[in-house]
Amino acid sequence: MSHLLHRSLDAEPLLAVGGQGIYLHTADGRQIIDGSGGAAVACLGHRHPRVNAAIVEQLSQVAYVHTALFSNAAAEELADFILADAPGGLSHAYFCSSGSEGMEAAIKMARQYFLEIGQPNRTKFIARRQGYHGNTLGALSAGGNAMRRAPYAPLLSDAFSLVSPCFPYRFQASDESDEQYVRRLGDELEAEFFRLGPENVVAFAAETVVGATTGCVAALPGYFKQVRKICDRHGALLILDEVMCGMGRTGTMHAWEQEGISPDIQVIAKGLGGGYQPIGGILIGKRIIDALRAGSGSFRHGHTYQAHPVACAAALAVQKVIREDDLLPNIHAMGERLMAGLTDRLGNHRHVGDIRGRGLFQAIELVSDRATKQEFDPALKMNERVKQAAFDHGLAIYPMGGTIDGNRGDHICIAPPYIATAADIDAIVARLGDAVDDAVASV
Ligand SMILES: Cc1ncc(COP(=O)(O)O)c(C=O)c1O
């Protein structure tokens, strides 16, 4: 019996003992394709020699310094590297150890900005149902996943309110055009600003492409332009959570590049360090930094492990590989191949209602009836069944239930590493197709 508290007390997961490229090796001798990099994390696959070498090199210099006392070269270089061309006006980076910590930092930075510029009344945040921003209490307060919130609801902050996500497959009316749906969502957001009092709102927070909770749902064209305008009109900030969809995952370094807007604060994590070290962070717009500089002079927040040298060295190596090996075009090409393959294999499947996503960030939504979009009975745990069946076919994917409202619906996320080849993509599609067939046959 393990003394490690696993995700489930009923089952022990497979023991991973090694990895190479797109494969993970388990203690029972299996070689499994890592088709989702865990939760869209392992963007360069496993045991990348340049990343491993950078970590060892950093350890040979210095493993840790505290940021109240010292800076370190790896963190300085990482910030310079990812912000070299000031993407979207983002000028500074703060590095922490996870996506949740990044979200906490974004929330506090946004609030502090308004204190610095003399608007202390701004204390409210608007986020979206079915968004996920992390599991710490602040980030969970901003999240809209009913299942994750429920046990802790009495502890969550009422500074956060939720509006509808842009989720066309589930919530766009059949007689509604894309433009009408986007406008309806804009009206709802605007109404929420007025309900709270626009002068009281700090920020609107959203995932640019929604990840785990709904399964790789990109917004319709024009949605984020409208959101940006509404935030600007009311003097509020826009926080984009790109923990899952950012740092190349959707085919551009930042997912917002495909929306024609940029955020005031961006949260990053998974693709930043590719899982080689725990690292997350925020990228901050210049006007916010200018306000801090003209005001109190410091960000009133911090963690012992912020800007950790080894984590930053690993992330810097990951980012250099992405750039030096010119992986963005591969993400784009392999993303198209993945979409074409999934459409070919599962596009007419009775139990696959939707195939969606961008770049190497795609999902299938499972349904009991394609025509009516009726979901499976949650008790069947269809997404778990597909996960298990996929393991049997030598494929790891990221399953999730609660697609529609936190309780109902099932989807599977596929997020291969950026180094995936055409043969890897074809193998993922073939194995996932077989897994879906087996899972459906099992009920
Ligand atoms: C969009 C998004 N934000 C925040 C988080 C939280 O990140 P972490 O689990 O590293 O705390 C996640 C994790 O899945 C995420 O997908």
Side-chain angles (χ1 to χ4, degrees), residues 32 385-397 431-432 435:
I32 295 176
R385 285 174 192 263
V386 174
K387 176 182 100 173
Q388 286 306 336
F391 272 143
D392 293 342
H393 289 284
L395 174 69
I397 37 80
R431 292 176 192 204
L432 179 62

Side-chain angles (χ1 to χ4, degrees), residues 39-40 99-100 103 106 126-135 139-140 142-146 148 162-168 185 203-220 223-225 227 238-246 249-250 254-257 259 261 263 265-270 358 361 398 400 402-403 411 413:
S100 300
M103 192 64 199
I126 307 173
R128 303 190 300 180
R129 281 190 280 286
Q130 286 299 83
Y132 181 61
H133 300 294
N135 257 334
L140 193 62
N145 185 263
R148 289 177 200 261
L162 304 173
V163 294
S164 303
C166 184
F167 187 178
L185 294 170
F204 175 68
E207 292 166 80
T208 319
V209 178
V210 182
T213 46
T214 56
C216 306
V217 178
L220 286 172
Y223 172 83
F224 274 108
K225 280 200 175 133
V227 159
L238 174 60
I239 298 173
L240 288 181
D241 179 348
E242 298 210 355
V243 164
M244 212 172 197
C245 64
R249 179 54 65 193
T250 65
H254 308 297
W256 51 256
E257 290 172 51
E259 305 298 340
I261 54 115
I265 302 174
Q266 177 182 355
V267 191
I268 54 177
K270 298 170 192 262
R358 280 191 187 153
F361 194 48
Y398 196 58
M400 192 66 71
T403 316
H411 65 266
C413 290

